[in-house]
Amino acid sequence: MADRSGSGAIGGEDDVVALLMRQHGDIRNLFDEVERTTGDERRDAFRRLVRLMAVHETAEEEVVHPVARRSFDGGEGVVEDRLREERQAKEKLGRLDGMDPDSAGFLPLLMELRTEVMAHARAEERYEFIQLRRRTDPGQLAAMAKAVRAAEAMAPTRPHPGVETAAKNIALGPMAATIDRTRDTVRKAMGKDG
């Protein structure tokens, strides 16, 4: 039962680049919220940050990177660089997830992660997103945005750091199942079978 009532775009985001750039801003704002709060508020903000980052990266892995790899010269290298950065961020996010958000070491590690994630976002925007917008037709960008919005709707509620393969996903249990459902939702939205 697809939504055919309109564009389905959120806030006028009719292409994947606009949607992902909005998510970059949301991630930055959530880092701010985690940094300025304490106790349960910090835990809640951190959960929302982890959730959005998991959705964002899963959507990029399933929707954006495959198109970027084949859309422009050097796309393969650009994607590999982004995947390396994402893997490093997931590892750090996993360490943070195992910590008490009010512990002494949490904020310094969070600040390291923030610096890396924001550098990663700038690299995506500069080297990947700009090329996608230049070399991908608006209809495909809109279809990609639909798939990313589907991933947002299926967002995992717990972090899934350090997982880059389906085999590792299966080994990690309930969180992996959520990521798998997110991937399935994205693939369905893109018109692909599992």
Side-chain angles (χ1 to χ4, degrees):
M1 300 176 98
D3 174 17
R4 304 214 191 283
S5 62
S7 71
I10 299 170
E13 296 161 348
D14 59 353
D15 74 70
V16 73
V17 172
L19 179 56
L20 293 173
M21 288 179 71
R22 190 261 302 155
Q23 287 181 349
H24 285 172
D26 292 346
I27 288 167
R28 185 177 46 253
N29 292 339
L30 281 168
F31 271 112
D32 290 343
E33 189 174 341
V34 173
E35 290 169 28
R36 75 172 180 265
T37 57
T38 59
D40 289 342
E41 287 181 72
R42 178 176 284 166
R43 280 180 205 30
D44 178 60
F46 181 67
R47 282 284 145 238
R48 288 183 283 127
L49 173 65
V50 170
R51 177 181 185 263
L52 179 54
M53 287 178 63
V55 168
H56 182 80
E57 298 307 333
T58 300
E60 286 178 344
E61 289 168 14
E62 292 294 317
V63 178
V64 177
H65 296 329
V67 174
R69 284 181 192 277
R70 64 180 182 271
S71 292
F72 56 92
D73 288 340
E76 184 72 34
V78 167
V79 169
E80 288 307 313
D81 288 344
R82 302 301 71 82
L83 288 172
R84 182 180 30 70
E85 294 161 359
E86 290 166 11
R87 190 168 35 258
Q88 291 167 346
K90 286 177 185 177
E91 290 168 5
K92 196 160 282 180
L93 197 58
R95 288 179 28 218
L96 281 163
D97 190 52
M99 297 173 76
D100 177 348
D102 286 324
S103 70
F106 184 83
L107 278 180
L109 188 57
L110 183 78
M111 296 303 296
E112 286 178 30
L113 176 64
R114 178 188 184 129
T115 299
E116 292 169 9
V117 166
M118 293 297 98
H120 168 76
R122 285 189 302 276
E124 283 180 333
E125 292 169 8
R126 180 177 298 143
Y127 301 115
E128 190 171 15
F129 295 176
I130 197 167
Q131 294 295 336
L132 280 175
R133 188 166 274 152
R134 285 181 183 159
R135 302 183 192 289
T136 307
D137 73 68
Q140 186 174 7
L141 293 173
M144 292 167 72
K146 178 181 175 185
V148 171
R149 284 192 302 274
E152 274 186 312
M154 273 300 301
T157 57
R158 290 187 31 84
H160 199 37
V163 177
E164 294 82 36
T165 68
K168 286 183 184 177
N169 282 342
I170 291 166
L172 289 177
M175 182 56 194
T178 304
I179 290 290
D180 289 342
R181 283 193 305 273
T182 302
R183 283 195 172 109
D184 291 345
T185 300
V186 167
R187 290 174 181 172
K188 184 175 181 180
M190 294 292 291
K192 300 176 186 175
D193 291 327

